[in-house]
Amino acid sequence: TVVQTLTGLVMSPGSVTLAAGATRAFVLAGTDQFGTAMATLPAATWTATAGAVTPLGIYTAPTVGTTATVTATLGGLSA
């Protein structure tokens, strides 16, 4: 039996424009060492340069218009 190892991480959507205070869910997809999609992923660490993001990837834009970057980190990979 071979244990899947996370080697690729992609976040969707890749880019989005939101109104001030609006929310958007981001979703992660991972691939293993063979390029096969992983059915489940462990919890990621989410961060945002402006606004707020929950541990489940739900982002809330700041109330003042600005550009922000949302990042998910998991297993040494970032998306």
Side-chain angles (χ1 to χ4, degrees):
T1 301
V2 176
V3 176
Q4 281 186 306
T5 301
L6 179 67
T7 58
L9 192 62
V10 176
M11 180 171 46
S12 297
S15 178
V16 64
T17 300
L18 296 175
T23 60
R24 177 67 186 238
F26 287 89
V27 178
L28 290 177
T31 53
D32 68 11
Q33 68 271 34
F34 305 108
T36 303
M38 296 183 72
T40 59
L41 294 175
T45 300
W46 293 86
T47 58
T49 58
V53 62
T54 71
L56 296 177
I58 308 299
Y59 174 72
T60 301
T63 56
V64 177
T66 189
T67 300
T69 300
V70 175
T71 304
T73 304
L74 176 60
L77 302 173
S78 294

